[in-house]
């Protein structure tokens, strides 16, 4: 499951980054996109909850990511693999 | 010179929103200098302080970053200064990594990266009072041992911990001398190394920092409202409305005062000096020219007060979040919102603030369209022509027709900016926009002193520009409008015989199809100095004594056709009638290519718009 498939209120754990087939990756390079996502905190094991979504196309999305808040477009969220199973959600709840 | 007297150079590095600038202000007070780095237009902020041991310190405040892997021009400066790669800028001897004590995760990774550089490093845990209030328990000794660097705690806005930080500089001074001889070591981390560094930082965090007992809940609660797709957007527009009200109404008394001051000064010069070139140069060139730019200072100060206040409050990242999709329709980045907003006061600060945009194409697009948003210099021109040609009548029972036309001109300005951005980004530079990936910082009550200092810095930068580039342009325009002098016994206004007059007459064949008379064409030349100067220039060509607005309105109403007047308005919506803007674009893009592109496309748009307006209006009004 990818972060881009989620909606407001969903919570889970980041499992990895997969930039293959991602539109921005062609422009930036897979490694660059991956590093940018890592630098802002989308690292394996990070807990998140989707806080809000934008007005048009539910884009961009605002998340609580561990103890900080970040915003990103659904497009970039498509490169983030997540786990939203009950155990992961329980782990991510405050 | 004794060793103790040689100032030691330290640099503040940290994530955005960590209170780095507050710490810089607290350490240096008024002893700071703001300039530009050579070749690039990123602000260089340096200040002075003295350590407890009496050692002078030079402190550099660097742009915020998450990593030394630079993406925006701001971050490139941070990297190059830290690594001593910037020409004319020796690498700092001690690095101070500034952290928000309530949000340590990402900064610990940055600290580990900075450690690799091989210079003595101190971690300053700023906003430590907020961390204590939230009950975050930080094992300072353990954290310091795990990172292998000294740690100090600071509360910049209360001036706490500053001496401890400076004492730490004393303690590291000896080590700094040894390290200064070593080459600097840093290379770009790969994704694998980044993951490893994250894991290290995570482990250190888990071992030495216990989560808050009383976490900040109001950021979450406020985001529930301020980021809400509907309520948040409404609040954003309400804030913008308030901002515009402030910029346009609160600034008026100060602007009137400045205007009156410069007019009085000009009159004084005219009375005291004998009539002649010197009098004209001082009164019409220097005083009138500088005055016509300085009059925007109050608006710029108010605008930046709002922008800096909202930025420090943590709101600007939210505004970018709310606007990203709307801007995205036009191919612009969410961060382009702030530059475009600033451009409503004046395109110059707008273009300067486009630096926050990482991607070069996104940034250039924003710069190119910024002058299309209706800056306040267009208002005098719009007001004059509207007063002369649009009947003062109420339509639909409530709206003033004149007000509607004014609103329409604003709407045309902003929509053309978005359309041009769309054309550039979707048709010419067809590439995916840069990822929108931003931190939404916790809300914090801004420290008023820091906000005011930021506003003053902005004002100072604007004045420096006005004193140099803009002033030079004003002198050039004066020369064009003054020389050569009219022959003895000449009839008609003197400007008609000058270079400006010649240029105006030479342009007439080109401008006649869009309905411009030679007087209008001549007024366009001094109007290049700043748009509103065209009002004064029209007064000059029609030989109206002084700047009698009522007289000018009547003259225009009598001499221009409705179609010509509307074409003139259409011209002013698009035309690049501002050399200062072009000069700033040259500075920001390091060359004449982009100002030239801007001039060419805006002139073309202006011509087409004025042509179409003239022809249609002629058909309608006869």
């Amino acid at each position: 499951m990818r972060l881009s498939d989620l909606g407001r209120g969903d919570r889970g754990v980041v499992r990895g980054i997969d930039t293959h087939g991602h539109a921005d990756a062609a422009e930036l390079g897979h490694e660059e996109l991956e590093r940018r996502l890592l630098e802002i905190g989308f690292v394996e094991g990070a807990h998140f909850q989707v806080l809000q979504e934008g007005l048009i196309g539910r884009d961009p999305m605002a998340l609580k990511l561990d103890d900080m808040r970040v915003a990103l477009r659904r497009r970039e969220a498509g490169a983030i693999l997540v786990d939203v199973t009950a155990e992961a959600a329980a782990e991510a709840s405050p | 010179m004794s060793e103790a007297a040689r100032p030691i150079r330290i640099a503040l590095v940290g994530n955005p929103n960590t209170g780095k600038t507050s710490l810089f202000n607290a350490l240096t007070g008024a002893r700071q200098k703001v300039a530009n780095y050579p070749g690039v237009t990123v602000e260089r902020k340096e200040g002075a302080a003295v350590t407890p041991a009496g050692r002078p310190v030079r402190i550099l405040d660097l742009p915020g970053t998450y990593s030394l892997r630079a993406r925006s021009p701001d971050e490139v400066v941070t990297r190059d200064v830290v690594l001593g790669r910037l020409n004319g800028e020796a690498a700092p001897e001690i690095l101070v990594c500034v952290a928000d004590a309530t949000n340590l995760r990402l900064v610990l990774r940055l600290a580990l990266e900075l450690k690799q550089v091989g210079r003595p490093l101190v971690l300053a845990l700023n906003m430590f009072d907020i961390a204590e209030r939230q009950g975050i328990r930080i094992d300072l000794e353990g954290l310091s041992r795990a990172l292998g660097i000294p740690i100090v705690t600071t509360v910049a806005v209360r001036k706490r911990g500053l001496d401890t930080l400076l004492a730490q500089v004393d303690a590291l001074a000896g080590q700094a001398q040894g390290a200064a001889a070593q080459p600097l070591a840093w290379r770009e981390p790969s994704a694998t190394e980044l993951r490893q560094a994250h894991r290290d930082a995570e482990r250190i965090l888990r071992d030495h920092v216990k989560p808050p007992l009383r976490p900040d809940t109001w950021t979450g609660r406020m985001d529930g409202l301020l980021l809400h797709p509907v309520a948040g957007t409404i609040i954003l527009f309400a804030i913008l409305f308030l901002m515009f009200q402030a910029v346009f109404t609160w600034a008026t008394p100060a602007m009137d005062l400045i205007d009156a001051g410069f007019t009085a000064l000009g009159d004084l010069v005219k009375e005291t000096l004998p009539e002649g070139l010197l009098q004209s140069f001082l009164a019409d060139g220097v005083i009138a020219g500088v005055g016509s730019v300085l009059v925007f200072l109050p608006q710029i100060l108010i605008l930046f007060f709002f922008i800096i206040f909202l930025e420090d409050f943590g709101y600007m990242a939210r505004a970018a979040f709310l606007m990203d999709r709307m801007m995205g329709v036009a191919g612009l980045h969410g961060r382009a919102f702030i530059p475009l907003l600033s451009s409503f006061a004046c395109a110059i600060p707008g273009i300067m603030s486009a630096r926050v945009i990482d991607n070069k194409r996104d940034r250039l697009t924003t710069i190119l369209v910024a002058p299309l948003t209706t800056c306040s210099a267009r208002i005098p021109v719009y007001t004059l022509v509207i007063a002369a040609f649009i009947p003062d009548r109420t339509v639909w029972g409530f709206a003033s027709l004149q007000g509607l036309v004014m609103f329409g001109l604003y709407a045309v300005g902003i929509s053309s900016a978005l359309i041009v951005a769309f054309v550039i980004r979707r048709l010419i530079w067809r590439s995916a926009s840069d990822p929108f990936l931003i931190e939404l910082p916790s809300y914090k009550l801004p420290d008023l002193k820091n906000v005011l200092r930021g506003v003053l810095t902005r004002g100072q930068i604007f004045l420096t520009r006005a004193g140099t580039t803009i002033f030079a342009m004003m002198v050039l325009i004066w020369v064009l409008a003054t020389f050569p002098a009219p022959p003895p016994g000449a009839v008609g206004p003197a400007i008609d015989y000058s270079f400006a007059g010649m240029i105006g007459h030479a342009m007439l064949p080109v401008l006649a199809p869009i309905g411009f008379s030679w007087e209008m064409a001549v007024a366009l030349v001094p109007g290049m100095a700043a748009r509103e100067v065209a009002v004064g220039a029209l007064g000059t060509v029609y030989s109206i004594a002084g700047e009698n607005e009522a007289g000018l309105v009547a003259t225009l109403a009598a001499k221009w056709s409705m179609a010509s007047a509307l074409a003139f308005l259409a011209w002013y919506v698009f035309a690049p009638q501002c050399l200062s803007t072009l000069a700033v674009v040259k500075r920001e893009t390091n060359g004449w290519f982009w100002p030239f592109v801007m001039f060419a496309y805006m002139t073309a748009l202006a011509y087409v718009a004025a042509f179409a307006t003239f022809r249609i209006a002629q058909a309608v009004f006869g």
Side-chain angles (χ1 to χ4, degrees):
Chain A
M1 190 146 230
R2 288 171 190 267
L3 181 57
S4 49
D5 304 326
L6 304 186
R8 194 175 161 194
D10 287 342
R11 54 176 96 225
V13 175
V14 174
R15 285 295 177 232
I17 293 174
D18 173 26
T19 57
H20 293 282
H22 192 271
D24 286 345
E27 170 95 357
L28 279 174
H30 293 284
E31 170 104 6
E32 177 61 24
L33 180 61
E34 186 173 1
R35 284 191 288 193
R36 287 198 190 183
L37 290 169
L38 285 170
E39 271 166 6
I40 201 131
F42 286 101
V43 64
E44 286 79 359
H47 300 163
F48 69 86
Q49 181 182 6
V50 182
L51 296 175
Q52 291 287 2
E53 299 167 316
L55 188 59
I56 309 168
R58 293 162 60 219
D59 197 27
M61 41 205 311
L63 312 178
K64 187 151 182 4
L65 181 65
D66 281 329
D67 37 19
M68 53 185 280
R69 289 173 173 76
V70 297
L72 81 168
R73 290 190 192 131
R74 247 168 226 284
R75 246 203 351 211
E76 278 79 55
I80 299 166
L81 302 173
V82 295
D83 183 352
V84 287
T85 54
E87 303 86 75
E91 200 188 323
S93 47
Chain B
M1 196 194 283
S2 77
E3 200 43 52
R6 190 185 63 87
I8 190 155
R9 284 169 291 109
I10 71 175
L12 307 183
V13 193
N15 294 164
N17 315 304
T18 51
K20 209 162 45 58
T21 300
S22 318
L23 186 60
F24 174 75
N25 287 340
L27 283 167
T28 62
R31 289 156 297 176
Q32 44 177 277
K33 251 190 353 215
V34 181
N36 275 336
Y37 286 99
V40 288
T41 45
V42 176
E43 273 158 38
R44 180 185 189 281
K45 293 173 78 178
E46 194 192 69
V50 180
T51 65
R55 190 188 302 269
V57 186
R58 276 168 51 199
I59 303 168
L60 206 55
D61 184 19
L62 293 174
T65 185
Y66 291 100
S67 148
L68 286 182
R69 277 175 1 89
R71 301 183 304 235
S72 67
D74 272 14
E75 294 174 3
V76 169
V77 164
T78 301
R79 180 196 65 200
D80 288 352
V81 169
V82 167
L83 299 178
R85 289 183 188 168
L86 204 66
N87 282 342
E89 185 85 51
E93 290 156 282
I94 296 176
L95 298 175
V96 178
C97 180
V98 184
D100 171 354
T102 65
N103 184 10
L104 287 173
R105 195 174 299 266
L106 296 186
V107 81
L108 289 187
R109 203 198 55 71
L110 178 66
L112 291 173
E113 192 176 349
L114 288 171
K115 220 179 111 184
Q116 288 177 11
V117 173
R119 284 279 187 267
L121 176 68
V122 186
L123 179 63
L125 299 184
N126 194 27
M127 308 194 208
F128 198 69
D129 56 337
I130 302 179
E132 280 179 326
R133 214 176 311 138
Q134 292 182 3
I136 300 176
R137 288 144 300 159
I138 305 174
D139 162 21
L140 293 171
E141 259 174 53
L143 187 60
S144 168
R145 224 175 316 115
L147 290 168
I149 53 172
I151 294 182
V152 296
T153 63
T154 58
V155 183
V157 290
R158 308 247 176 289
K159 295 190 180 294
R160 265 194 254 151
L162 304 180
D163 280 341
T164 333
L165 174 58
L166 289 170
Q168 199 53 246
V169 170
D170 275 326
L172 290 173
Q175 197 188 331
Q177 274 169 4
Q182 304 289 317
L184 295 166
W186 177 83
R187 64 181 180 78
E188 238 180 60
S190 68
T192 321
E193 288 165 316
L194 272 177
R195 280 203 172 81
Q196 186 56 50
H198 259 301
R199 269 196 292 275
D200 294 344
E202 183 70 40
R203 183 178 42 76
I204 294 172
L205 194 70
R206 214 176 25 238
D207 289 351
H208 304 289
V209 181
K210 296 280 168 289
L213 299 169
R214 296 171 293 278
D216 158 32
T217 52
W218 73 298
T219 293
R221 279 198 302 247
M222 286 187 62
D223 272 347
L225 188 64
L226 294 180
L227 289 181
H228 189 274
V230 180
T233 311
I234 294 172
I235 293 171
L236 172 64
F237 281 104
I239 292 174
L240 293 185
F241 180 77
L242 179 72
M243 212 161 132
F244 278 105
Q245 284 296 310
V247 165
F248 291 113
T249 58
W250 302 356
T252 313
M255 291 173 81
D256 289 347
L257 205 67
I258 293 174
D259 197 32
F262 275 93
T263 310
L265 196 62
D267 289 347
L268 187 73
V269 168
K270 282 187 176 159
E271 277 164 28
T272 44
L273 288 178
E275 205 167 308
L277 270 187
L278 181 68
Q279 187 222 55
S280 164
F281 176 71
L282 286 178
D284 303 333
V286 177
I287 296 173
V290 171
S292 67
V293 176
L294 276 194
V295 79
F296 294 109
L297 186 64
Q299 285 191 336
I300 289 176
L301 293 182
I302 292 177
L303 183 78
F304 274 112
F305 175 80
F306 273 89
I307 290 179
I308 296 173
F309 185 90
L310 292 174
E311 179 82 59
D312 286 5
F313 184 60
Y315 186 72
M316 278 309 186
R318 271 81 182 177
F321 169 83
L322 291 168
M323 293 304 292
D324 181 65
R325 195 54 198 258
M326 279 182 235
M327 308 288 283
V329 174
L332 286 169
H333 197 269
R335 289 198 183 174
F337 176 64
I338 297 160
L340 291 187
L341 189 65
S342 312
S343 300
F344 278 103
C346 175
I348 295 170
I351 287 165
M352 280 160 46
S353 55
R355 284 172 204 161
V356 293
I357 304 170
D358 306 344
N359 181 289
K360 193 171 171 228
R361 288 177 171 184
D362 282 341
R363 181 163 172 257
L364 272 173
T365 309
T366 308
I367 289 177
L368 284 177
V369 303
L372 288 175
T373 50
T374 308
C375 70
S376 50
R378 285 177 175 95
I379 297 173
V381 180
Y382 288 176
T383 320
L384 173 73
V385 179
I386 287 175
F389 289 92
I390 309 297
D392 188 7
R393 223 197 18 234
T394 305
V395 285
W396 306 325
F398 69 96
S400 129
L401 185 61
Q402 293 188 333
L404 270 183
V405 172
M406 188 64 133
F407 178 80
L409 291 167
Y410 267 84
V412 172
I414 187 74
S415 33
S416 60
L418 296 177
I419 292 168
V420 171
F422 179 86
V423 170
I424 298 175
R425 242 20 215 104
R426 295 269 189 251
L427 303 178
I428 302 173
W429 271 338
R430 292 183 56 176
S431 61
S433 183
D434 217 38
F436 177 77
L437 203 56
I438 55 170
E439 185 181 350
L440 302 169
S442 303
Y443 292 106
K444 290 188 185 80
L445 210 57
D447 179 55
L448 210 56
K449 259 198 304 203
N450 278 309
V451 174
L452 290 180
R453 195 181 285 281
V455 171
L456 287 180
T457 306
R458 295 283 147 186
Q460 188 197 333
I461 291 170
F462 178 76
L463 290 182
T464 322
R465 299 273 145 95
T468 53
T469 323
I470 299 176
F471 174 70
M473 294 296 171
M474 295 297 174
V475 172
L476 176 72
I477 296 291
W478 174 82
V479 169
L480 288 178
T482 309
F483 295 103
V491 287
I495 192 175
D496 198 15
Y497 299 91
S498 68
F499 291 119
M502 292 177 207
I503 296 171
H505 282 287
M507 287 193 310
L508 191 57
V510 186
L511 294 175
I514 61 173
F516 285 15
S517 63
W518 74 263
E519 290 96 337
M520 291 158 89
V522 171
L524 292 186
V525 180
M528 283 303 290
R531 291 177 172 87
E532 83 285 6
V533 174
V535 173
L538 282 171
T540 315
V541 285
Y542 284 112
S543 305
I544 305 287
E547 274 188 34
N548 188 340
E549 288 273 324
L552 192 53
V553 168
T555 310
L556 293 191
K559 297 219 169 177
W560 293 8
S561 70
M562 175 63 111
S564 291
L566 294 179
F568 195 72
L569 283 180
W571 173 268
Y572 260 88
V573 169
F574 298 104
Q577 287 282 109
C578 180
L579 282 177
S580 316
T581 300
L582 295 169
V584 167
V585 173
K586 190 224 153 208
R587 287 186 62 127
E588 293 290 315
T589 58
N590 274 324
W592 284 110
F593 179 73
W594 291 109
F596 176 77
V597 170
M598 178 183 276
F599 184 83
Y601 101 81
M602 288 180 75
T603 308
L605 271 184
Y607 194 84
V608 171
F611 183 83
T613 307
F614 182 61
R615 297 291 149 174
I616 293 169
Q618 251 188 340
V620 175
F621 298 101

